[in-house]
């Protein structure tokens, strides 16, 4: 079976990016990777969260303009941190022949991590983009949370060291992601 990749852009919506740590750098890394993916014929799948705060059609729910899906590109709406749960994402990827997902987006510890692990559990190889995921900014009241830079670094390390039988996991900066077929 040929090796086929898809890029997942998770929850890069206006309201979430507004609270993100290093939003400009993260959006730029994902935007550059998205353009390279499109040029290489790699599907770019936009995943959007919807809930009581992220109401479809509102400004906050919209994907940031730099990462907005292009005409005809797949868009998946979800209601949980798991981009696969009750969304049809798995069926869509399988119909496209995808065997590997490149995971990017918001938030590192929640939706990005959950989706990455679910992808592995569902049989996909994984590329975890070190500069293509972010988390919320931390304020003085967030004493129980790991500082954002440390959290991002921690998850990059986790995916460098985690083992998943029968799966290939690669951790790369956006500019280093190889989009040529294996």
């Amino acid at each position: 079976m040929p090796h086929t990749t898809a890029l997942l852009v998770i929850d890069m919506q206006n309201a979430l990016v507004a609270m993100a740590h290093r939003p400009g750098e993260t959006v730029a890394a994902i935007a550059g990777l998205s353009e390279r993916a499109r040029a290489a014929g790699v599907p770019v799948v936009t995943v959007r969260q919807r809930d009581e705060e992220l109401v479809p059609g509102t400004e906050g729910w919209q994907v940031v303009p730099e990462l907005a899906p292009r005409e005809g590109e797949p868009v998946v709406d979800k209601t949980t941190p798991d981009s696969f749960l009750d969304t049809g994402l798995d069926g869509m990827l399988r119909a496209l022949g995808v065997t590997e997902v490149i995971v990017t987006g918001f938030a590192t510890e929640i939706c990005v991590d959950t989706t990455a692990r679910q992808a592995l559990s569902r049989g996909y190889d994984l590329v975890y983009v070190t500069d293509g995921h972010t988390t919320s900014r931390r304020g003085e009241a967030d004493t129980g949370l790991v500082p954002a830079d440390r959290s991002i670094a921690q998850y990059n390390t986790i995916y460098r060291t985690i083992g998943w039988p029968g799966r290939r996991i690669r951790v790369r900066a956006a500019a280093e992601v190889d989009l040529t077929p294996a």
Side-chain angles (χ1 to χ4, degrees):
M1 179 165 159
H3 179 74
T4 304
T5 302
L7 171 61
L8 304 182
V9 180
I10 303 166
D11 297 350
M12 294 300 288
Q13 295 158 269
N14 289 322
L16 300 175
V17 171
M19 69 169 83
H21 173 69
R22 294 187 349 235
E25 295 91 333
T26 306
V27 168
I30 298 170
L33 182 55
S34 296
E35 289 307 311
R36 289 182 41 236
R38 290 179 181 109
V42 170
V44 177
V45 180
T46 301
V47 180
R48 298 180 298 206
Q49 178 69 28
R50 70 178 159 83
D51 54 33
E52 58 280 345
E53 294 176 12
L54 292 166
V55 177
T58 64
E59 182 63 26
W61 175 80
Q62 299 293 327
V63 174
V64 296
E66 301 91 333
L67 301 175
R70 302 270 173 87
E71 183 75 30
E73 288 182 341
V75 177
V76 173
D77 288 313
K78 65 182 183 65
T79 59
T80 72
D82 179 353
S83 297
F84 289 93
L85 183 62
D86 298 328
T87 65
L89 176 60
D90 190 45
M92 174 195 316
L93 293 174
R94 293 200 189 282
L96 292 169
V98 171
T99 59
E100 175 180 73
V101 292
I102 303 168
V103 176
T104 65
F106 181 90
T108 298
E109 311 91 333
I110 305 169
C111 300
V112 173
D113 179 54
T114 302
T115 298
R117 289 175 193 248
Q118 283 298 315
L120 291 164
S121 289
R122 290 170 184 263
Y124 297 96
D125 290 333
L126 175 69
V127 177
Y128 197 80
V129 183
T130 59
D131 54 348
H133 64 97
T134 190
T135 190
S136 58
R137 285 188 303 274
R138 310 299 201 232
E140 289 181 26
D142 297 318
T143 57
L145 295 175
V146 174
D149 279 332
R150 282 190 27 219
S151 182
I152 291 166
Q154 176 182 356
Y155 279 84
N156 289 340
T157 300
I158 287 169
Y159 282 96
R160 279 188 186 98
T161 58
I162 195 171
W164 216 279
R167 305 292 175 274
R168 184 170 93 159
I169 301 170
R170 294 178 295 143
V171 179
R172 303 279 187 273
E176 298 168 356
V177 174
D178 182 7
L179 295 166
T180 56

